[in-house]
């Protein structure tokens, strides 16, 4: 955005995915942002010490398959994927000492890799300010649209 804005002939700029600051933006050297979109999955099992399982989670981004296309556990800090499992369609086991502090029903918040996963997988986005939801808006899926 800043490079485009420097061009005198430009009269409009669209931030696009930059509004959400998905995790692929973390590697950009000319852009610094704060994650603005997350999704939450509930803890549904506690199979052992240092392990919790959340419901769902396999929301890969488009592009060449790889770890950089998966959402990542964001909050609480300190959770990571089980290298034998990764993010699953039905369930996702997560490892780390902080898992022992989570109860069934607690939420684990994830950052998506690219902005499209949220609007492709969820009907609505909740806009949050402070501790409250200020608005709920439909995604294109929520408006009954599908693309490709």
């Amino acid at each position: 955005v800043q490079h485009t804005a420097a061009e005198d002939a430009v009269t409009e700029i669209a931030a696009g995915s930059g509004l959400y600051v998905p995790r692929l933006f973390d590697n950009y050297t000319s852009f610094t942002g704060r994650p603005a979109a997350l999704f939450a999955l509930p803890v549904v099992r506690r199979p052992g010490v240092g392990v919790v399982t959340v419901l769902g989670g396999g929301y890969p981004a488009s592009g060449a398959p790889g770890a950089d296309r998966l959402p990542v556990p964001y909050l609480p800090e300190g959770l990571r994927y089980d290298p034998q499992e990764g993010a699953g369609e039905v369930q996702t086991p997560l490892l780390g000492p902080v898992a022992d502090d989570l109860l069934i029903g607690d939420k684990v918040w994830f950052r998506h890799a690219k902005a499209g996963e949220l609007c492709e997988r969820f009907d609505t986005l909740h806009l949050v300010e402070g501790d409250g939801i200020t608005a709920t808006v439909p995604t294109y899926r929520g408006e009954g649209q599908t693309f490709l």
Side-chain angles (χ1 to χ4, degrees), residues 62-77:
S62 61
D68 66 333
R69 301 302 171 168
L70 296 177
V72 292
Y74 187 64
L75 296 171
E77 291 181 22

Side-chain angles (χ1 to χ4, degrees), residues 42-58:
V43 173
V44 292
R45 292 182 46 230
R46 296 181 42 121
V49 174
V51 183
V52 292
T53 301
V54 297
L55 183 64

Side-chain angles (χ1 to χ4, degrees), residues 36-126:
L38 305 170
F39 66 93
L41 299 174
V43 173
V44 292
R45 292 182 46 230
R46 296 181 42 121
V49 174
V51 183
V52 292
T53 301
V54 297
L55 183 64
Y59 306 138
S62 61
D68 66 333
R69 301 302 171 168
L70 296 177
V72 292
Y74 187 64
L75 296 171
E77 291 181 22
L79 293 171
R80 66 187 184 285
Y81 289 123
D82 179 331
Q84 300 298 312
E85 296 283 339
E89 287 181 80
V90 176
Q91 63 181 9
T92 298
L94 298 168
L95 309 176
V98 71
D100 295 332
D101 297 330
L102 295 171
L103 303 173
I104 302 296
D106 284 349
K107 304 287 189 278
V108 174
W109 293 87
F110 289 78
R111 284 184 68 203
H112 55 293
K114 293 170 74 176
E117 298 98 290
L118 294 179
C119 294
E120 182 59 32
R121 303 268 187 337
F122 299 99
D123 292 345
T124 57
L125 299 177
H126 301 290

Side-chain angles (χ1 to χ4, degrees), residues 123-145:
D123 292 345
T124 57
L125 299 177
H126 301 290
L127 308 183
V128 175
E129 190 170 332
D131 290 337
I133 295 174
T134 59
T136 299
V137 296
T139 63
Y140 57 81
R141 178 167 294 280
E143 291 180 334
Q145 302 295 316

Side-chain angles (χ1 to χ4, degrees), residues 11 25 27 34 64 86 129 132 137 145:
T11 59
F25 279 57
N27 298 320
R34 188 176 73 182
E129 190 170 332
V137 296
Q145 302 295 316

